[in-house]
């Protein structure tokens, strides 16, 4: 009589692997931490930061008063070429193109990211309540509180989103290099114009850049996770 064989042990199912922290997610976390530090320093009016802001702003304002032609050129770039509404129009065009090509989730993601950026900057302006530079001989004017720079943040968000979309759709090589160069010049250029025209402190612009990059990185990371889950 044969003895019964013991039942084969069932393999213990391994737990599902954790999703790796992607480069965009890590970037968002690092930039978010830097943004929080900068907001705190601005809010408490840390003296070295205030001194830096005033020194740079005063030097650039003297140049703006002495060079009216260059100042007018900066106003054209600030008020038209790199104006937040120009930037939002570019995002809208990109979203329409995606929608027509049936990438509707991505189109809505891009529009939502741009809208969140606008809401975030206005909320921070109200919360921080930083005064703009004040000059006896101003060359330009602006409304609302200073921190963060809405122009700088909107440019960073828009250019970041557009670069992401271009990369997703296969743009590379020399064309990609030109796109990156145009985006970098736009983001840096609008920041310079806002300081040069005397309507923002340098750290307002830096804060806008940091928040813009953080928002784009978070949007990319979250979209990757959603797209991955939908693919499963």
């Amino acid at each position: 009589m044969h003895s019964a064989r013991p039942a084969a042990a069932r393999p213990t199912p391994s737990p599902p692997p954790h999703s790796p922290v992607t480069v965009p997610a890590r970037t968002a976390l690092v930039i978010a931490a830097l943004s929080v530090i900068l907001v705190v320093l601005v809010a408490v009016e840390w003296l070295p930061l205030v001194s830096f802001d005033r020194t740079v702003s005063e030097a650039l304002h003297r140049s703006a008063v002495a060079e009216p032609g260059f100042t007018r050129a900066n106003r054209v770039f600030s008020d038209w070429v790199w104006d937040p509404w120009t930037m939002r129009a570019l995002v809208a065009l990109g979203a329409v193109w995606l929608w027509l090509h049936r990438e509707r989730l991505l189109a809505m993601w891009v529009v939502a990211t741009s809208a969140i950026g606008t809401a975030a900057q206005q909320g921070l302006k109200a919360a921080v309540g930083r005064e703009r530079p004040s000059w006896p001989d101003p060359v330009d004017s602006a409304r609302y509180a200073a921190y963060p720079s809405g122009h700088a943040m909107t440019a960073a968000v828009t250019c970041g989103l557009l670069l992401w979309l271009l990369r997703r759709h296969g743009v590379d090589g020399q064309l990609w290099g030109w796109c990156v160069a145009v985006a970098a010049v736009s983001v840096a250029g609008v920041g310079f114009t806002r300081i040069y025209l005397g309507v923002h402190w340098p750290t307002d612009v830096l804060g806008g850049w940091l928040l813009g990059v953080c928002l784009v990185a978070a949007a990319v990371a979250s979209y990757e996770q959603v797209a991955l889950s939908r693919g499963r």
Side-chain angles (χ1 to χ4, degrees):
M1 184 174 180
H2 297 287
S3 57
R5 293 182 180 179
R10 294 182 179 177
T12 304
S14 56
H18 294 288
S19 298
V21 180
T22 62
V23 172
R26 288 195 295 268
T27 301
L29 290 172
V30 171
I31 301 299
L34 294 175
S35 297
V36 169
I37 292 171
L38 183 58
V39 168
V40 171
L41 294 178
V42 167
V44 301
E45 298 182 349
W46 190 49
L47 288 180
L49 201 68
V50 172
S51 176
F52 168 78
D53 275 340
R54 186 160 293 281
T55 299
V56 173
S57 296
E58 287 176 351
L60 289 178
H61 180 68
R62 286 194 296 269
S63 175
V65 172
E67 302 288 343
F70 188 56
T71 299
R72 283 194 295 271
N74 275 270
R75 291 192 66 172
V76 170
F77 278 102
S78 180
D79 296 342
W80 294 97
V81 179
W82 296 320
D83 180 76
W85 285 108
T86 303
M87 295 288 117
R88 293 178 190 125
L90 291 175
V91 170
L93 288 174
V96 169
W97 187 89
L98 291 170
W99 190 272
L100 294 176
H101 285 76
R102 299 186 180 280
E103 296 188 67
R104 293 177 178 175
L105 176 62
L106 184 55
M108 292 186 291
W109 212 271
V110 167
V111 170
T113 301
S114 182
I116 290 169
T118 301
Q121 65 176 256
Q122 293 302 321
L124 267 174
K125 283 178 181 291
V128 177
R130 191 183 201 188
E131 295 290 332
R132 291 182 183 268
S134 178
W135 311 104
D137 49 356
V139 298
D140 201 356
S141 62
R143 296 179 299 169
Y144 309 117
Y147 188 92
S149 166
H151 279 68
M153 184 174 176
T154 305
V157 169
T158 298
C159 291
L161 288 174
L162 294 179
L163 286 177
W164 175 43
L165 296 180
L166 290 172
R167 198 61 166 174
R168 280 183 58 87
H169 288 83
V171 174
D172 57 8
Q174 188 174 10
L175 179 57
W176 172 249
W178 279 108
C179 291
V180 172
V182 170
V185 169
S186 297
V187 173
V190 73
F192 174 80
T193 65
R194 302 309 284 167
I195 304 169
Y196 190 82
L197 294 173
V199 293
H200 275 295
W201 305 106
T203 46
D204 299 336
V205 170
L206 177 59
W209 285 339
L210 289 175
L211 290 165
V213 172
C214 179
L215 181 58
V216 171
V220 173
S222 56
Y223 182 82
E224 287 178 352
Q225 290 299 314
V226 171
L228 181 62
S229 64
R230 284 167 65 94
R232 289 172 184 162

